[in-house]
Amino acid sequence: GRLTELLDEKLVIDSEEGKVSFPADWNSIKIDNLSFNYGDNKVLDGISIEIKRGEKVGIVGLSGAGKSTLFKILLKEHEGQDDNIQIGNVRLNQIKKADYVKKVATVLQDTEVFNLSLKNNITISNYSERNNDELFNKAMEVSHVNDFISKLPDGVESLIGEKGIKLSGGERQRLGIARAVFKNPEILFLDEATSHLDVESEQKIQDSLKHFFKNVTAVVIAHRLSTIKEMDKIIVLEDGKIIETGTFDELHKLDKRFREFWDKQKL
C-alpha cells in the first residue's frame, strides 16, 4: 500500500509545464556535441552519436571515461543538460519525464531490491500490467529467474528480504533483467547487466537477451567486451571523447584502442 502511494506521487524534480509526450513515431536518438562538467572537471567533451531505432549500441572505455555520466544524462538525471539530445524530432528536455520513464528500462550493475515477493519485485516496473501472466512468464524466461525459483520456499511469492538479502548477487541481477523485460520498453539501457554472473549464467542470459533485443533499442555499457561482440555499433570513450566507432570486426581490424582492450581481456 505504501509503495502504491509512492507510485502515485507527482514528479517534482522536473517540471512538466510546456513539456510534450514521448514521440510515438521517433526513428533515432541523436546526441549532438554534448559536453558535461562536474565543477571544473570536464567529463564529456563534444560527444556526437546517432542511435537508430532498433539499433544495439555498445559503449566501452576505462573507468572515468564518461560512460556512466552519459547514461545519467540519457536517463534525464541531470536537468538542463539534455538539450543536445533528440528523440526523433523532440529534444529530450522537452519530453515529460513521467512519460519518458514509461518508455525506458534500465539495468544497472547493482539492482535495487525490496522486501516484497519475488513477483512484486519484478512487476513493480510496469504496475498497470502486474496481472499480465504472459509478460511475466516471458520476463522469467528471458532472465533465467526460473533457474532458482525451486530453492525459494514459496516460489514467486517468496519474500526475498530487504535489499534482496535472500538472493545472491547474480540472482539479484537476473531479477533486475526480469524487471526490465516486464516493463516492455522501447529503449533499454544496460550498465554491465551481467557483471555479477558466472560465465555459464552470463552466456544463458546473453542468448536470451538477443531475443529481447529484437524489439527494443539497446544501449549497453560493457566492461566484459564479450557482452557487446554482436552489437550493431561499438563506441569507445576515452577522457570524455569518442575515439573509435564501428562494429566489433571493424574495431578489431583497426588494431587500436579497442583491440588493445580486447587483447588484454583475452589474456
Side-chain angles (χ1 to χ4, degrees), residues 67-68 71-72 75 77 105-112 169 172-177 179-180 188-196 219 221 223:
K67 306 184 299 297
S68 294
F71 252 40
K72 288 177 180 179
L75 289 169
E77 288 191 21
T106 309
V107 183
L108 304 177
Q109 294 183 46
D110 295 301
T111 297
E112 186 66 46
R172 289 194 296 273
Q173 200 77 328
R174 294 187 201 190
L175 188 157
I177 293 170
R179 187 184 286 166
L188 177 65
F189 295 109
L190 295 97
D191 186 354
E192 195 51 86
T194 58
S195 60
H196 295 298
V219 183
I221 289 178
H223 303 289

Side-chain angles (χ1 to χ4, degrees), residues 106-108 110-125 136 139-140 142-146 148-149 152 156 158-161 163-183 193 196-197 205:
T106 309
V107 183
L108 304 177
D110 295 301
T111 297
E112 186 66 46
V113 183
F114 306 96
N115 188 26
L116 305 169
S117 69
L118 177 71
K119 183 173 185 178
N120 284 343
N121 264 285
I122 292 171
T123 59
I124 191 175
S125 65
F136 179 73
M140 296 285 284
V142 169
S143 63
H144 286 273
V145 169
N146 283 328
F148 64 84
I149 282 295
L152 299 177
V156 297
S158 301
L159 291 176
I160 56 177
K163 298 292 183 181
I165 195 170
K166 296 181 181 179
L167 303 179
S168 69
E171 288 165 350
R172 289 194 296 273
Q173 200 77 328
R174 294 187 201 190
L175 188 157
I177 293 170
R179 187 184 286 166
V181 175
F182 189 78
K183 193 170 186 181
H196 295 298
L197 302 179
I205 289 182

